[in-house]
Amino acid sequence: MKKPVHLAVYDTLADWETGHATAHLRNGQFHREPGGYEIVTVGPSLEPITTMGGQRVLPDLALDALTPAGSAMLILPGAGLWDAGDDLAPFARKAREFLDAGVPVAAICGATAGLAREGLLDDRDHTSGAVQYLEAQAGYAGAKRYRDEDAVLDGDLVTAGPTEPVAFAREIFRRLDVLRPEVLDAWFRLFGRSDASAFEVLMAV
């Protein structure tokens, strides 16, 4: 049995940033092996949260019950709350727990700022919306490891900026090794570049 992928959910979550990743992980289409991943939502508590787009989500699990041993990956979306105080700092601390245990973490948009404040980007290649955004975070000392790319995978860490949900998904798929390389390339060309020639490759899977 595959371990589930855990998706963090919290108020002001940026709805558009993780949909490509979670939908394609769950449905299993184009995967090397049959079957997809269970997507388990993790909130600060079991109370409903409201996304930036106004959707109400009832978390499956509270953060304090989440352990790396029971997870294939932790995905951290952006949210206005990442820039509004320390409410989401427990999610960054959980990311440290995952990385220390060798379980991958994927962070996009404001979540990269949370990881920067936690010191998790100082010794790993990473990206975000802009290096200046991260340099404004207290404690960040990782500018030399910043990469001006659509998404970056370094070991167990995936990062991306807010405009790159498809590249973010691509690197998540790469880290979890769910698609063969030629299929991953075709998937990104189709969904990220609207390249119709990639459709034929995917339909042959």
Side-chain angles (χ1 to χ4, degrees):
M1 293 289 292
K2 294 178 181 177
K3 295 179 181 179
V5 169
H6 289 89
L7 172 67
V9 295
Y10 20 71
D11 286 333
T12 71
L13 179 154
D15 306 63
W16 68 93
E17 292 179 345
T18 60
H20 287 281
T22 55
H24 286 276
L25 286 173
R26 183 176 183 274
N27 69 26
Q29 190 177 19
F30 314 128
H31 287 200
R32 289 176 183 267
E33 301 175 1
Y37 285 83
E38 179 186 8
I39 306 297
V40 176
T41 55
V42 183
S45 70
L46 294 178
E47 294 298 312
I49 64 93
T50 303
T51 71
M52 195 179 294
Q55 299 182 61
R56 283 171 59 82
V57 177
L58 184 64
D60 299 310
L61 189 69
L63 182 64
D64 60 6
L66 176 63
T67 63
S71 183
M73 172 179 275
L74 174 62
I75 300 177
L76 299 173
L81 283 180
W82 283 112
D83 296 320
D86 295 327
D87 286 357
L88 300 184
F91 286 91
R93 291 194 291 270
K94 185 64 69 171
R96 176 181 291 282
E97 185 181 335
F98 267 61
L99 291 170
D100 286 348
V103 180
V105 171
I108 186 170
C109 188
T112 63
L115 299 193
R117 292 191 293 271
E118 185 65 19
L120 296 175
L121 305 183
D122 294 349
D123 300 313
R124 297 175 173 91
D125 289 348
H126 60 278
T127 193
S128 182
V131 69
Q132 293 87 350
Y133 172 59
L134 296 182
E135 287 176 330
Q137 310 304 318
Y140 174 66
K144 290 183 178 179
R145 302 296 295 267
Y146 187 88
R147 301 291 177 262
D148 190 13
E149 299 175 16
D150 55 6
V152 172
L153 169 64
D154 185 0
D156 290 323
L157 181 65
V158 175
T159 51
T163 61
E164 301 294 344
V166 181
F168 185 56
R170 179 195 67 210
E171 297 309 313
I172 287 172
F173 301 159
R174 193 190 309 278
R175 175 58 186 82
L176 293 176
D177 197 27
V178 295
L179 307 180
R180 296 194 307 276
E182 69 275 13
V183 176
L184 180 63
D185 173 71
W187 183 89
F188 182 72
R189 286 191 289 114
L190 181 62
F191 288 94
R193 299 288 182 260
S194 300
D195 182 351
S197 69
F199 187 77
E200 184 177 349
V201 178
L202 296 178
M203 289 303 97
V205 175

